[in-house]
Amino acid sequence: MSLFNTLAIFCLDLGSVYIKSKEAPAKEVLKDLVEMCRGVQHPIRGLFLRSYLAQVSRDKLPDIGSEYERDAETVMDAVEFVLQNFTEMNKLWVRMQHQGPGRVREKREKERNELRDLVGKNLHVLSQIEGVDLEMYKENVLPRVLEQVVNCKDELAQYYLMDCIIQVFPDEYHLQTLETLLGACPQLQPTVDIKTVLSRLMDRLSNYAVSSADVLPEFLQVEAFAKLSNAIGKVIDAQVDMPIVGAISLYVSLLTFTLRVHPDRLDYVDQVLGACVKKLSSAPKLEDSRATKQVVALLSAPLDKYNDIVTALTLSNYPRVMDHLDDGTNKVMAMVIIQSIMKNSTCISTAEKVEVLFELIKGLIKDLDGAAQDELDEEDFKEEQNSVARLIHMLYNDDSEEMLKIICTVRKHIMTGGPKRLPFTVPPLVFSALRLVRQLQNQDGDVAGEEEPATPKKIFQLLNQTIETLLSVPSPEMALRLYLQCAEAANDCDLEPVAYEFFTQAFMLYEEEIADSKAQVTAIHLIIGTLQRISVFGVENRDTLTHKATGYSARLLKKPDQCRAVYACSHLFWVDDQDGIKDGERVLLCLKRALRIANAAQQMANVARGSSGPVVLFVEILNKYLYFFEKGNTQITASAIQSLIELITSEMQSESTTLDPAANAFFASTKRYIEFQKKKGGAMGEKYDPINV
Ligand SMILES: *[C@@H]1O[C@H](CO)[C@@H](O)[C@H](O)[C@H]1NC(C)=O
Ligand SMILES: CC(=O)N[C@H]1CO[C@H](CO)[C@@H](O)[C@@H]1O
Ligand SMILES: CC(=O)N[C@H]1CO[C@H](CO)[C@@H](O)[C@@H]1O
């Protein structure tokens, strides 16, 4: 250290000892000390000296109640002293930036950064002086400090000092001086990172707001939201070069503040979104990815807060912000919305809200204009559409009229989705409508006074038209399944003609659209299963449909498939809980036909490979025999069962039969079952008695 500095520090130490001795008023001594420091023009030396001065004199500052207080000395002196010297130090600090040749800017900034706390310490000291009450802070301290901050016109100093002010003084002071503090913001250099400063201020204030219930009225009284909102608008206007991401981050901070401090004020939330729309509208479509991220944060915040999309749906500016997103981000946001609904199990219960919701997620519902279709990832697409499908189940109202409106609204939107989306979105819509049908089927009579009440008939008509759209996709297998679901529901509503129409359409699809043999097998079993459960058909309609079903079963491509479908048809003629449908003879005809097909399959296999065919088919048919035998179908006799068992036994022992462990096991357990029934005795035991295994 230079001789000069050593001397200066010695003088300062002397001064501080002098104050302690109370021989002269502290004020006078401090004054002299500061005067002495003023003589030092070298910035860094000056800074150090002043910092040292602040340190040694801190506990000697005249403060209210301090032991150095004299009549003549007021808190004002102390404040004045610190403020003065804050000003001087700041000037020196700023001057450093322009000092010395040949120094690179970054290096200087680095040095300055290291020294900044020497300047900031003054503000800290001010905040520690007990006598600095709100009144004094408001009237004197803050305006003077801000004046210095604004006038120094130094980017680094302005950013650092604003932040310092916010951090060192108490929250209630900020709240009560918001206008003054915020008023300085638009006057700062355009390059100052004001958004960080403001967001820290809002962070502090919102922490303060939630710290106790008592302070909220204070926020309302000083109109904190309006002031912050206003200041942010001014800053954005003043800093014309601020990138859009900066402006949006400011709105994100303001929104965070609003959601924390005034969660009940949706109008405030909407106002922030509206301001953001205004900013976004001034520029072409958002392309900056960081700005996009901020917009997503902005839109996600209300969802996270309210955990309830229904609230967000009431914000008129919400969809307008979304419109400014690029298509990809729009989709991401739509997914966030759906996830929020799923997470909270939120029920969207009016057609009006459904309309708004679908407008919000339209990026998932249809191809947006000009969207790049080709680069669509298959997996992502599926996930998106599955989400939409899940969403459809969350749209629900107990009131059937409103529910029908919801269904019509959803239908209107998903119909615009095009062939790739329909197979995902039509089924949930159909099941949602069928749920309504089930609900109406238990209500009796028409709803009085309604012009056009929701009736099952009307809904079936709508369903008919909806499922039809799958044919153009084409997705005939899906359409067939859905027609059958509708037929069953129509059955439960006692609407025979409707059920018959749906069946007719299912058969038409089967004949004309389903060509793949595996798909045919699945389809025919679905048809048989559904038809078996339907009770509404009169004899004639039923005959027509069962006739078709057995006919198509016998015409399947592969023998084993034929055989299984034909024996399944036996159930169409014998329905346990329907007295009208117990035609033992036709059951037997089906089973015999199945046996002939199994036989033919066996022979074909022998010719082709010199080995056995599927013996297991015989075992399966045997099980059908046993079923109807037990159900009391007199056409199925013990002797017929006996001969079938013998046939299978000889087939299995035949030399050409290759070992099929599964068939063997199946047969063995079937035989065990028969023995078990015999041993158990009773009526069933007697019935089984003549059969030997
Ligand atoms: C469905 O619509 C078609 C005409 O597109 C019609 O032929 C058929 O009868 C309708 N089905 C029902 C169940 O209304
Ligand atoms: C250098 C400097 O600003 N000195 C001031 C320190 O405080 C006294 C008392 O308020 C002023 O009179 C000095 O001008
Ligand atoms: C399941 C669940 O989290 N439900 C919440 C959804 O949001 C509403 C509104 O905020 C809450 O009331 C529910 O408890």
Side-chain angles (χ1 to χ4, degrees):
M1 202 178 280
S2 75
L3 181 62
F4 173 82
N5 281 359
T6 316
L7 250 171
I9 288 174
F10 175 74
C11 290
L12 290 177
D13 282 341
L14 209 62
S16 88
V17 171
Y18 194 45
I19 295 176
K20 270 204 189 121
S21 73
K22 299 180 190 166
E23 277 177 23
K27 179 182 164 187
E28 298 301 320
V29 182
L30 286 172
K31 212 169 168 182
D32 290 348
L33 289 176
V34 173
E35 280 302 327
M36 188 196 82
C37 289
R38 183 180 258 174
V40 184
Q41 286 305 316
H42 188 278
I44 298 185
R45 273 189 205 156
L47 266 180
F48 272 116
L49 273 182
R50 283 175 179 281
S51 147
Y52 189 75
L53 169 60
Q55 215 175 313
V56 295
S57 57
R58 226 198 97 193
D59 53 343
K60 291 137 202 122
L61 286 177
D63 195 355
I64 292 176
S66 93
E67 58 174 315
Y68 305 110
E69 193 191 352
R70 300 260 175 106
D71 293 339
E73 296 165 348
T74 61
V75 180
M76 213 44 228
D77 292 326
V79 170
E80 201 62 34
F81 171 75
V82 182
L83 274 174
Q84 284 280 3
N85 299 301
F86 159 74
T87 307
E88 287 302 318
M89 283 179 85
N90 188 46
K91 278 183 182 152
L92 289 169
W93 189 46
V94 170
R95 203 181 303 151
M96 268 180 72
Q97 184 71 33
H98 312 284
Q99 173 234 5
R103 295 236 200 147
V104 272
R105 189 184 147 86
E106 289 93 69
K107 196 176 169 211
R108 230 176 289 150
E109 277 186 1
K110 192 167 165 274
E111 285 172 357
R112 287 192 60 201
N113 255 326
E114 284 159 5
L115 293 175
R116 62 183 193 178
D117 289 339
L118 295 181
V119 184
K121 199 180 262 166
N122 277 291
L123 296 179
H124 185 69
V125 169
L126 275 173
S127 75
Q128 299 293 305
I129 299 177
E130 260 176 55
V132 178
D133 55 6
L134 176 60
E135 190 61 23
M136 184 181 294
Y137 177 75
K138 192 172 179 172
E139 300 302 328
N140 211 309
V141 175
L142 183 63
R144 300 246 327 254
V145 173
L146 285 179
E147 184 191 1
Q148 174 60 30
V149 173
V150 170
N151 289 342
C152 78
K153 295 203 182 337
D154 180 78
E155 177 190 342
L156 192 68
Q158 288 184 333
Y159 173 75
Y160 171 71
L161 292 175
M162 285 303 279
D163 196 37
C164 232
I165 295 171
I166 290 166
Q167 301 310 327
V168 300
F169 292 104
D171 299 312
E172 62 264 42
Y173 285 18
H174 294 320
L175 193 57
Q176 295 298 334
T177 55
L178 260 187
E179 208 150 4
T180 317
L181 185 59
L182 293 172
C185 294
Q187 303 176 55
L188 303 181
Q189 298 301 103
T191 45
V192 173
D193 179 12
I194 194 70
K195 70 174 196 301
T196 307
V197 172
L198 282 177
S199 65
R200 286 197 187 146
L201 174 64
M202 288 187 275
D203 270 358
R204 275 204 66 157
L205 288 178
S206 53
N207 282 335
Y208 177 52
V210 297
S211 67
S212 127
D214 308 336
V215 298
L216 193 59
E218 237 183 294
F219 277 78
L220 295 171
Q221 195 207 337
V222 304
E223 296 180 316
F225 172 78
K227 281 178 184 160
L228 287 167
S229 172
N230 193 11
I232 286 171
K234 280 197 178 135
V235 166
I236 291 174
D237 287 346
Q239 299 200 358
V240 276
D241 291 334
M242 184 193 284
I244 191 121
V245 60
I248 298 169
S249 321
L250 272 172
Y251 288 125
V252 172
S253 301
L254 180 59
L255 187 66
T256 311
F257 169 85
T258 310
L259 290 170
R260 289 190 71 192
V261 181
H262 305 292
D264 53 328
R265 293 298 297 263
L266 283 172
D267 55 331
Y268 286 176
V269 176
D270 209 25
Q271 208 174 312
V272 179
L273 295 175
C276 196
V277 171
K278 201 169 139 229
K279 181 69 195 171
L280 288 168
S281 313
S282 65
K285 198 107 179 165
L286 206 53
E287 262 157 12
D288 174 359
S289 69
R290 286 183 313 144
T292 303
K293 249 190 198 148
Q294 289 298 315
V295 175
V296 170
L298 188 82
L299 290 170
S300 305
L303 297 183
D304 292 345
K305 172 71 195 183
Y306 297 116
N307 226 339
D308 176 13
I309 183 71
V310 175
T311 308
L313 294 181
T314 62
L315 301 168
S316 66
N317 285 310
Y318 200 93
R320 296 175 61 207
V321 177
M322 272 189 85
D323 281 343
H324 286 279
L325 291 170
D326 62 276
D327 294 336
T329 317
N330 199 302
K331 277 189 192 172
V332 170
M333 201 53 230
M335 288 292 277
V336 170
I337 290 172
I338 293 180
Q339 276 151 13
S340 152
I341 293 174
M342 304 310 299
K343 195 178 86 199
N344 186 254
S345 305
T346 312
C347 187
I348 317 289
S349 60
T350 68
E352 200 184 331
K353 283 177 189 156
V354 170
E355 181 69 41
V356 179
L357 175 64
F358 272 79
E359 195 52 40
L360 281 185
I361 61 164
K362 62 174 181 259
L364 300 179
I365 300 300
K366 59 182 176 197
D367 297 329
L368 296 176
D369 301 331
Q373 307 302 328
D374 29 62
E375 285 304 308
L376 209 55
D377 181 80
E378 196 63 26
E379 283 301 309
D380 288 350
F381 179 78
K382 276 188 186 160
E383 198 193 322
E384 284 167 14
Q385 296 309 309
N386 281 327
S387 296
V388 175
R390 281 197 290 274
L391 173 69
I392 292 175
H393 293 295
M394 307 304 293
L395 317 174
Y396 180 73
N397 195 315
D398 272 335
D399 177 67
S400 53
E401 297 302 319
E402 191 61 40
M403 189 60 207
L404 184 57
K405 279 190 202 150
I406 290 177
I407 288 167
C408 291
T409 308
V410 175
R411 182 174 185 276
K412 180 185 83 187
H413 284 279
I414 66 169
M415 285 302 141
T416 61
K420 284 193 75 182
R421 292 186 181 83
L422 288 175
F424 291 93
T425 50
V426 166
L429 178 64
V430 167
F431 283 104
S432 176
L434 286 177
R435 176 157 72 164
L436 177 58
V437 167
R438 302 279 176 192
Q439 190 183 325
L440 290 168
Q441 133 205 350
N442 300 322
Q443 277 173 13
D444 31 36
D446 291 318
V447 188
E450 292 283 350
E451 288 267 315
E452 257 191 297
T455 60
K457 238 185 182 149
K458 192 166 150 189
I459 300 165
F460 281 127
Q461 216 172 1
L462 192 72
L463 283 169
N464 189 25
Q465 294 159 6
T466 308
I467 299 171
E468 212 167 27
T469 59
L470 288 177
L471 301 184
S472 59
V473 169
S475 193
E477 291 152 45
M478 175 83 75
L480 182 131
R481 276 171 192 266
L482 296 175
Y483 279 140
L484 291 175
Q485 289 285 341
C486 290
E488 208 172 336
N491 171 71
D492 298 344
C493 294
D494 222 11
L495 294 169
E496 183 185 8
V498 178
Y500 189 77
E501 275 301 318
F502 278 125
F503 249 101
T504 311
Q505 273 164 294
F507 272 121
M508 236 149 67
L509 282 186
Y510 183 83
E511 288 157 22
E512 291 167 12
E513 308 287 343
I514 299 180
D516 174 68
S517 70
K518 267 190 187 144
Q520 283 184 342
V521 172
T522 309
I524 199 72
H525 279 281
L526 281 170
I527 289 176
I528 295 167
T530 309
L531 190 52
Q532 199 256 350
R533 285 193 295 276
I534 285 191
S535 57
V536 77
F537 292 140
V539 177
E540 203 175 310
N541 278 347
R542 192 172 176 90
D543 270 355
T544 313
L545 296 175
T546 48
H547 183 74
K548 276 193 182 189
T550 41
Y552 288 131
S553 298
R555 266 177 272 150
L556 287 171
L557 185 66
K558 292 182 185 158
K559 289 282 173 210
D561 291 337
Q562 275 179 21
C563 174
R564 289 185 171 114
V566 167
Y567 73 62
C569 282
S570 64
H571 289 285
L572 295 178
F573 304 106
W574 189 283
V575 181
D576 225 17
D577 52 8
Q578 284 184 53
D579 287 338
I581 310 175
K582 289 212 164 46
D583 188 340
E585 219 176 303
R586 290 179 74 181
V587 169
L588 185 61
L589 280 175
C590 277
L591 296 185
K592 279 186 168 166
R593 197 171 180 185
L595 274 176
R596 278 201 304 277
I597 300 169
N599 227 351
Q602 187 84 333
Q603 266 153 31
M604 270 170 64
N606 278 338
V607 171
R609 289 173 277 138
S611 69
S612 92
V615 160
V616 72
L617 287 176
F618 290 107
V619 186
E620 289 169 23
I621 297 170
L622 171 62
N623 275 271
K624 289 291 163 195
Y625 267 79
L626 295 181
Y627 173 82
F628 289 110
F629 181 64
E630 288 189 8
K631 291 294 175 189
N633 181 343
T634 50
Q635 298 292 317
I636 310 291
T637 60
S639 68
I641 293 172
Q642 185 72 55
S643 28
L644 189 48
I645 292 172
E646 276 155 20
L647 171 83
I648 297 169
T649 313
S650 79
E651 279 295 334
M652 285 193 163
Q653 285 162 352
S654 126
E655 281 179 9
S656 62
T657 307
T658 43
L659 211 59
D660 177 356
N664 280 344
F666 190 11
F667 187 42
S669 68
T670 307
K671 285 194 292 187
R672 265 203 310 281
Y673 173 77
I674 296 172
E675 299 219 37
F676 166 76
Q677 289 292 5
K678 285 171 68 159
K679 273 199 198 117
K680 207 172 77 175
M684 198 55 76
E686 262 172 44
K687 227 176 137 105
Y688 271 103
D689 207 41
I691 303 171
N692 293 310
V693 290

